[in-house]
Amino acid sequence: AQSVTQLGSHVSVSEGALVLLRCNYSSSVPPYLFWYVQYPNQGLQLLLKYTTGATLVKGINGFEAEFKKSETSFHLTKPSAHMSDAAEYFCAVSQNTGGFKTIFGAGTRLFVKA
Amino acid sequence: SQTIHQWPATLVQPVGSPLSLECTVEGTSNPNLYWYRQAAGRGLQLLFYSVGIGQISSEVPQNLSASRPQDRQFILSSKKLLLSDSGFYLCAWKTGGSSYNEQFFGPGTRLTVL
């Protein structure tokens, strides 16, 4: 069975500082990995995804994530936080059976201080 | 382009009353459809998914039900709401038959049961 663990339910950074949100996955098959962002009272939207190929994936709003198979990790980073980055972030892995469900982590809420 | 609609946006219902939430997708055919619930401060809980008309899979036993009367229409229902049904309900779609594609989420319905 596949699963996702996000380390830290809350992360706080200062504006302009590095953002690092951690995600580890468990999968018996090569995973398809995703990061989604959710702003208050809105649906989720895709930040980036890894399927195959280059392990460093670039997404929207300056975010990127690196797939590290040896560490079973897919951490999300952004070099310089902006106030508008304050939101909840979900790491996810996609199943290849059973309705192709997506397994989501518990989420990490990012706070950005001025 | 594809769009996903949910309505109503907000709903306040008394305990014991019925519920019907609707989700429609435009611009795609034969999507996989999903209903999620987010309780306050918690992650995403998958409630139901559907891979085709009339095909519903339930993830969590509860007093909710789902139906898919048309290819791009997904309905979440209850005969009698409980206080614990309060939450933010999200509908999502995904291209059918693939695990490497992302999910696209609707704007959500905020349900408060009093």
Side-chain angles (χ1 to χ4, degrees):
Chain A
Q2 293 167 305
S3 64
V4 174
T5 302
Q6 290 185 241
L7 299 177
S9 59
H10 297 83
V11 170
S12 182
V13 301
S14 297
E15 192 173 21
L18 171 72
V19 175
L20 171 60
L21 304 182
R22 299 178 187 273
C23 172
N24 288 89
Y25 70 90
S26 172
S27 177
S28 58
V29 297
Y32 298 130
L33 296 161
F34 306 82
W35 275 100
Y36 291 84
V37 61
Q38 184 181 30
Y39 299 100
N41 295 311
Q42 295 185 26
L44 281 69
Q45 64 182 88
L46 182 72
L47 274 178
L48 49 81
K49 67 178 180 181
Y50 169 78
T51 53
T52 59
T55 56
L56 182 62
V57 181
K58 295 186 184 299
I60 62 171
N61 301 337
F63 284 93
E64 61 182 35
E66 186 171 11
F67 170 62
K68 291 187 176 181
K69 184 178 178 180
S70 61
E71 299 177 8
T72 61
S73 69
F74 190 56
H75 301 332
L76 182 70
T77 60
K78 181 174 180 178
S80 177
H82 192 272
M83 297 297 288
S84 60
D85 295 325
E88 186 141 27
Y89 293 80
F90 292 92
C91 182
V93 62
S94 182
Q95 285 188 330
N96 56 7
T97 58
F100 303 101
K101 293 176 289 185
T102 301
I103 308 301
F104 288 88
T108 297
R109 184 163 296 278
L110 176 66
F111 297 91
V112 182
K113 300 174 292 186
Chain B
S1 63
Q2 302 91 357
T3 55
I4 178 170
H5 305 279
Q6 282 187 250
W7 65 90
T10 59
L11 192 59
V12 180
Q13 292 286 93
V15 170
S17 64
L19 173 74
S20 180
L21 302 182
E22 189 164 343
C23 170
T24 59
V25 181
E26 297 176 356
T28 188
S29 297
N30 195 31
N32 286 2
L33 296 171
Y34 308 85
W35 277 112
Y36 293 88
R37 176 171 62 199
Q38 273 185 304
R42 302 185 66 177
L44 289 158
Q45 179 186 32
L46 179 63
L47 302 175
F48 301 94
Y49 68 91
S50 172
V51 299
I53 296 173
Q55 301 179 60
I56 307 295
S57 296
S58 174
E59 288 293 295
V60 182
Q62 56 207 332
N63 69 320
L64 298 173
S65 63
S67 62
R68 184 171 177 175
Q70 300 180 47
D71 182 43
R72 289 168 289 178
Q73 184 185 30
F74 205 22
I75 297 171
L76 183 69
S77 304
S78 173
K79 292 182 179 178
K80 289 186 177 182
L81 284 168
L82 306 172
L83 285 174
S84 58
D85 291 324
S86 292
F88 192 50
Y89 287 81
L90 289 164
C91 180
W93 73 271
K94 183 177 189 176
T95 301
S98 68
S99 57
Y100 51 81
N101 289 321
E102 64 269 31
Q103 289 190 342
F104 297 91
F105 285 81
T109 295
R110 175 77 58 192
L111 172 65
T112 303
V113 182
L114 302 174

